[in-house]
Amino acid sequence: MSGGTFHVHGPHDHELEHAAQHASHGSATEGMINQIALFTAVIATVGAIFAYMGGATQANAGLYKNNAAIKKTEASNQWNYFQAKSTKQSLAEVSRDLAPVAADKEKYQAKIERYEKEKKDIQANAEKIENDAKDWDRKSDEQMHQHHRWAQATTALQVAIALAAIALLTKKKWLEWGMFGMGAIGVGIGALAMLHI
C-alpha cells in the first residue's frame, strides 16, 4: 500500500521486480535464440539452393562426359573409314602398278585420286569430331569443378547449422561466432562456384 510519503511493498511487488530483472537477462537469451533461428533458416535455404546447384552441375558433367564418349566413338568410326579408304587406295596402287594395259592403269589412277580426296575429307571430319569430343570433355571437367565447389559450400553450411544447434543447446557465444564464421565460409565458397572459380 502506498501512503503520502512512504511506500510499502506488497508480496506481489517483489515478484514483479524479480521478474523484471530476470526478463532483461532472459531477453538476451531470447535474442540469441531468435538470432540463431533466423540464421539457421536463412542458411538452410541457401544450403538447399547450393545443394540443388551441386546436383545440377554433377548431372551436367555426366551428360557432357557422355557426349564426349559419343563423339570419340564417332571419331573412331571416321578413322576406321579413313583406314578402309587407305586400304582400297593401296590395292588400287598395286593394281595400277601390275596392270598390263594403259587404260586399266588410268582407271586405277582415277580411283587412287578419288580415294586420296575422300581420305582428306574423312580426316578433316574425324579431326573436327575429335575436337568436339575434347570440347565436351573440357565442359565436363569445368562442371565437375563447379560441382565440387557447390558441394564444399553445402558442407560448410551444414556445419554452420550443426554449430547453431550446439550453440542453442550450450548457449556458448564462441559457438555462435563459429556458426557465423562457417556460414560466411560456405557463402564465400558458393560465390566462387557461381563465378566459376
Side-chain angles (χ1 to χ4, degrees), residues 43 46-47 50 152-162 182-187:
I43 290 299
V46 172
F50 287 2
Q152 291 164 349
T154 303
T155 301
L157 294 182
Q158 289 172 342
V159 170
I161 291 169
M182 284 306 292
I185 289 169
V187 169

Side-chain angles (χ1 to χ4, degrees), residues 103-119:
D104 288 342
K105 286 185 185 277
E106 288 176 18
K107 178 180 79 170
Y108 288 119
Q109 183 60 39
K111 283 186 177 185
I112 292 167
E113 290 169 5
R114 187 185 86 218
Y115 291 141
E116 189 63 34
K117 181 191 176 310
E118 289 173 350
K119 281 178 20 185

